[in-house]
Amino acid sequence: MERVTPSSPDLRAIVVDDVSVDFPAHGISGAHRAVDGVSLSVDWGDVVAIMGESGSGKSSLLRVLAADHLRPSGQNTVPQIVGGEARVNGSSVRRLRRRDLPRFDFDVAFLRQDAADTLDSERTAAEIVAAPILERDRRYNRKSLDMRVATLMDELMLPLGAMGKYPFELSSGQRQRVALARALALDPKILIADEPTAGIDISVRSAVSDLVDRRRQAGEFAAVFVTHDIDLVRALRGSVFALHSGSVVGVGTVDGLLESAEHPYLTALAHAIGPSRRRPGRTIGGSIT
């Protein structure tokens, strides 16, 4: 399958323009506004961290950017864009159809919040990582496939002995790294990840930032994370969009936002981190509409 070349004249990786996201009414629960008029943009080469308290809308925004509203959800409701526009790799996710997902997913990888806990229990780690490739090409060269899987696992500091293990035999941090390796198996242009370092021991978290940075340096690549991992954002020199109650309350470098702390959420975050881990910073430009 060929890579998608954006047909839009706007060549940014991701453009979110005044987007509002609702969860529709379900059972006894009424409709809920999760994201309210958010705008942001991600250029190629950028890493953007979305931060906020529980219920701030950060995961809902990430899910619509990954076109999660088109995926089977069982009995669960899914977030829907009800206002504004979001374009990812040149495609309008609001107008995307389910039949467009295979091509969309080839360029855009999505690491779910629960990815480590939903790995296929009947497949080994190597089989899990290889699955996205084989789903598209069953005749993919076995030697090349094995090398690709081994390389991805090595980049994430997973021992080669883990390749033949099943999820229940791995630690939570190892499962998270297997899930991330699977998300990157197709060498996507955009990585959308919800808490990518969740459960990963601090001693090997640098593998995640190193892996993302190598891809960013190698060519056309961009990433958007929901994360509470301040050190990850700093290591990747990423910009931050802080959300509160579905709205943007700060845009800048992580240290610039902590230093200025112009919103109660940012004040609380700066206090929780403590002065010993804060660094003076300069807030960078960004539009909030």
Side-chain angles (χ1 to χ4, degrees):
M1 183 178 291
E2 296 180 353
R3 297 285 179 195
V4 173
T5 300
S7 57
S8 167
D10 191 332
L11 299 180
R12 288 172 288 181
I14 297 174
V15 181
V16 177
D17 183 15
D18 196 26
V19 160
S20 293
V21 176
D22 281 2
F23 279 89
H26 180 71
I28 62 173
S29 300
H32 168 66
R33 174 64 50 89
V35 175
D36 192 15
V38 166
S39 295
L40 65 88
S41 66
V42 183
D43 290 330
W44 294 109
D46 282 354
V47 173
V48 171
I50 301 176
M51 306 183 75
E53 299 168 303
S54 177
S56 64
K58 55 189 187 297
S59 291
S60 299
L61 178 59
L62 217 65
R63 289 178 65 186
V64 297
L65 293 181
D68 205 36
H69 61 289
L70 296 176
R71 305 173 199 282
S73 60
Q75 297 301 310
N76 299 319
T77 58
V78 294
Q80 303 281 345
I81 296 178
V82 295
E85 177 68 286
R87 299 187 68 85
V88 179
N89 194 37
S91 297
S92 167
V93 293
R94 193 174 185 182
R95 293 194 289 270
L96 208 65
R97 294 164 293 185
R98 187 165 294 175
R99 68 186 185 189
D100 300 323
L101 274 178
R103 184 171 292 277
F104 180 85
D105 289 343
F106 190 57
D107 290 304
V108 182
F110 181 35
L111 183 74
R112 296 176 178 275
Q113 190 175 39
D114 61 351
D117 299 322
T118 56
L119 298 177
D120 189 336
S121 62
E122 297 183 355
R123 288 181 171 179
T124 65
E127 290 170 339
I128 290 168
V129 176
I133 298 172
L134 292 177
E135 285 170 2
R136 285 165 170 77
D137 185 359
R138 287 289 175 186
R139 296 175 294 177
Y140 196 91
N141 181 272
R142 175 55 62 177
K143 185 176 180 179
S144 297
L145 180 63
D146 291 344
M147 181 62 70
R148 184 167 182 78
V149 170
T151 299
L152 276 167
M153 296 184 72
D154 182 61
E155 283 188 287
L156 287 164
M157 295 186 185
L158 282 161
L160 292 183
M163 292 180 66
K165 292 185 176 181
Y166 292 88
F168 75 90
E169 298 178 291
L170 303 173
S171 69
S172 61
Q174 289 175 328
R175 290 196 299 272
Q176 180 73 1
R177 283 178 280 161
V178 168
L180 182 54
R182 177 185 61 184
L184 293 169
L186 294 173
D187 197 20
K189 296 168 63 177
I190 297 173
L191 173 62
I192 298 173
D194 200 336
E195 297 289 1
T197 57
I200 299 178
D201 190 87
I202 194 169
S203 64
V204 293
R205 285 185 187 177
S206 61
V208 176
S209 58
D210 290 346
L211 180 149
V212 171
D213 204 38
R214 279 193 296 271
R215 278 154 178 73
R216 178 167 61 179
Q217 297 298 326
E220 198 172 46
F221 181 82
V224 179
F225 298 154
V226 161
T227 186
H228 292 92
D229 189 341
I230 298 294
D231 293 329
L232 175 68
V233 182
R234 282 177 175 152
L236 289 169
R237 305 173 302 283
S239 57
V240 174
F241 278 74
L243 296 185
H244 179 77
S245 298
S247 299
V248 179
V249 296
V251 181
T253 64
V254 62
D255 294 302
L257 291 177
L258 293 176
E259 187 71 14
S260 61
E262 295 177 353
H263 186 273
Y265 160 68
L266 297 171
T267 302
L269 180 62
H271 179 74
I273 291 173
S276 63
R277 293 188 60 205
R278 296 202 299 271
R279 304 173 186 170
R282 178 176 61 86
T283 301
I284 63 175
S287 61
I288 304 176
T289 57

